[in-house]
Amino acid sequence: MYRVILVDDESIVLEGLQRIIDWKSLGYQIIATADDGSTCLKLLETITPDLIITDIKMRKMDGIELIENIRNMNIDQPKVIFLTGYNEFSYAKEALRYRARNYILKPIVEDELVQSLVQVKKELDKEKSMSSVIDDYRKIHIQSQITGLLEQNTADESLEYLFNNTHLDRYDFYRCGIVRIRPAKTNEISLDKVRRTVEERCNEAIDSYGLSDRIEGYLFRIKEHSIGMLLAYHSDYEIHEYIERLSERLKNMLPISTAHHITVSYGKKVKQMVDFHLSYETAIQASKFMIYYDSRTQITYSDIKQYTINKIDYNKLIPVDKLIKAVITNEYDAIYSFFSLNFMVFKKDRVSIDDIIIFINKIFMDCTKELKVYCPDENYSQNDLFYSIKERMPSLSILMKEVLDFALWVSDTIKESGKKSTNKDDIVDYINAYFRENITLKMIAEKFYVNPVYLGQVLQKKLKIGFKKYLENLRMEESKKLLKTTDKPIYEIAFEVGYNDPEYFSRVFYKAYGVTPSQYKQQ
């Protein structure tokens, strides 16, 4: 909605203007009225209109003098529509001089004013659109120059541009912050939407509580899951206040993005913009420690500068080959112990993220290798989960749980598939021996530690027909033999060959041979 101030020394005109026009439907909102030019000028000390509609002839200060004063003010210049009861060329000439959008004679004709308002709105829309494009371009260019500060070969050019086009040179200290969005495995809310909301919260934290007068901040993209912040400020108190404000705002946004975890790391402060890359590098160092904290959402370089990130000491770890043996043999206690003890070492020794990723990658590769051996029909690639974890880089405890779940899944899949050299002939022999009982594909699969779907595929390939049809053929052949060689009643023969329902048995028999069991017995 565009903001409007009405100015006229006749109260009846002010009331009429508010009543006869449907301002909201035209895209306007009346934010104030004034009975002369001087009153309007006082209003402009606290509010900024997009449009002023003013009478020309008024007591104290007329409309022409009002607009003359406004044009000399350092404010966003509003559009102007003049009203007058005097149809004289001199007034029209003055109106044009001060770039009035229209000149409307009293008594006001509603359609004429509406037409002028529609035209002004079109101009405001166009200017707003152009301004937005210019602002976006400026932000993008500033972002690229900040990124240029991190590249030593372009730092001087970037510094010159930033000092000429921002107020960064006015501040005493500079600091880099890195906001990292750790996406969940399943993103109910898009990462792009969360990133935009995070950027809004970062800007709001600067604008709130009067900090915009004491802190200047710019955002820049690092990569898909990270946003960089360049913060310029005068005192440590101010930056700590900003950090707290941002922390609160990010916490408040979590309910709308519970599928994601957001953390912020801050580098050390530097006194010169040319050293901003040092703050950026220490912010990255700080971010690497976030993996060791489950609930912490922010960390500063001063929190971790006394610590070091270490290489893996494989002598302290249970080897991956022991995990693989436990996975194949379904030794669940050994699987749990492997992850519990090894990840305890990772946390205690503050092992580097890169080394942990290498270790996890070996687990994925070796588990997937065994999966292909024991379950060749299982369509799975370790890249799916591995690259998801590498991108999200969750806390160490969440990381351990996700990789543990993967290892348990592989172990269960191997157990269920029964691919551990089960003899297909043994399974067929079992069906031939026990077809008279109430057997099912699932029961046989459980007995031979075979995945039911996999077993069905194996039998189809070996027997050239499906399990149910093969079982039915065995029962039908046996029932024919009993009908011809014994005097047993049909219901007894049905039970003997594996059917609990004699009527169903008769239907199956008729479908197979075109005669009922009774008719077959009499042949």
Side-chain angles (χ1 to χ4, degrees), residues 217-247:
Y218 293 95
L219 305 182
F220 58 99
R221 295 282 176 88
I222 301 173
K223 55 184 179 179
E224 185 182 11
H225 298 142
S226 299
I227 301 166
M229 295 186 293
L230 186 160
L231 301 170
Y233 58 100
H234 292 296
S235 73
D236 289 339
Y237 171 79
E238 291 163 359
I239 196 64
H240 290 153
E241 187 176 356
Y242 171 81
I243 288 172
E244 290 304 315
R245 300 300 179 218
L246 178 58
S247 179

Side-chain angles (χ1 to χ4, degrees), residues 172-413:
D172 299 313
F173 304 107
Y174 307 93
R175 179 170 289 187
C176 177
I178 297 176
V179 183
R180 183 172 178 82
I181 305 166
R182 295 174 175 171
K185 285 198 289 187
T186 54
N187 298 342
E188 295 177 359
I189 301 177
S190 73
L191 179 62
D192 190 57
K193 183 176 180 180
V194 174
R195 184 171 53 228
R196 288 197 304 271
T197 307
V198 168
E199 290 175 350
E200 290 172 5
R201 296 295 186 271
C202 292
N203 286 322
E204 287 171 2
I206 293 175
D207 294 337
S208 66
Y209 302 93
L211 290 177
S212 57
D213 295 332
R214 293 173 284 148
I215 290 180
E216 188 165 348
Y218 293 95
L219 305 182
F220 58 99
R221 295 282 176 88
I222 301 173
K223 55 184 179 179
E224 185 182 11
H225 298 142
S226 299
I227 301 166
M229 295 186 293
L230 186 160
L231 301 170
Y233 58 100
H234 292 296
S235 73
D236 289 339
Y237 171 79
E238 291 163 359
I239 196 64
H240 290 153
E241 187 176 356
Y242 171 81
I243 288 172
E244 290 304 315
R245 300 300 179 218
L246 178 58
S247 179
E248 286 301 313
R249 289 180 180 274
L250 292 180
K251 284 180 183 177
N252 292 338
M253 73 164 280
L254 286 178
I256 68 165
S257 60
T258 52
H260 305 276
H261 184 56
I262 300 167
T263 61
V264 190
S265 58
Y266 296 93
K268 68 178 183 180
K269 69 178 179 182
V270 294
K271 293 183 178 181
Q272 295 180 329
M273 275 286 293
V274 71
D275 294 327
F276 179 69
H277 68 281
L278 298 177
S279 185
Y280 173 74
E281 289 164 6
T282 51
I284 291 177
Q285 289 180 38
S287 71
K288 291 181 178 180
F289 280 82
M290 289 303 299
I291 190 173
Y292 304 112
Y293 301 97
D294 291 329
S295 57
R296 193 163 182 169
T297 58
Q298 67 181 42
I299 193 169
T300 64
Y301 177 67
S302 60
D303 296 330
I304 58 91
K305 64 181 180 181
Q306 68 270 32
Y307 302 119
T308 57
I309 297 291
N310 302 302
K311 302 289 288 183
I312 281 184
D313 183 352
Y314 284 96
N315 293 322
K316 296 181 180 180
L317 301 180
I318 301 173
V320 174
D321 57 355
K322 289 192 175 182
L323 168 68
I324 301 305
K325 181 180 178 181
V327 166
I328 295 171
T329 56
N330 312 124
E331 297 175 50
Y332 296 112
D333 287 344
I335 295 173
Y336 280 105
S337 294
F338 172 88
F339 284 97
S340 177
L341 293 175
N342 283 349
F343 276 76
M344 189 183 299
V345 172
F346 291 160
K347 187 168 185 177
K348 183 179 179 181
D349 290 0
R350 293 191 178 87
V351 174
S352 75
I353 292 174
D354 293 337
D355 280 8
I356 292 173
I357 288 175
I358 291 171
F359 188 81
I360 290 172
N361 188 37
K362 180 168 176 56
I363 293 173
F364 280 125
M365 290 179 66
D366 289 1
C367 281
T368 305
K369 180 180 177 181
E370 297 303 327
L371 196 64
K372 290 178 179 178
V373 171
Y374 287 100
C375 315
D377 295 324
E378 188 71 36
N379 184 20
Y380 180 81
S381 168
Q382 86 273 6
N383 292 341
D384 298 339
L385 183 57
F386 173 67
Y387 285 113
S388 169
I389 285 177
K390 188 176 179 181
E391 283 298 310
R392 293 182 293 110
M393 212 58 243
S395 67
L396 204 58
S397 61
I398 295 174
L399 183 61
M400 183 188 79
K401 182 181 183 309
E402 291 186 3
V403 185
L404 168 63
D405 288 346
F406 171 75
L408 292 172
W409 174 79
V410 172
S411 186
D412 288 341
T413 303

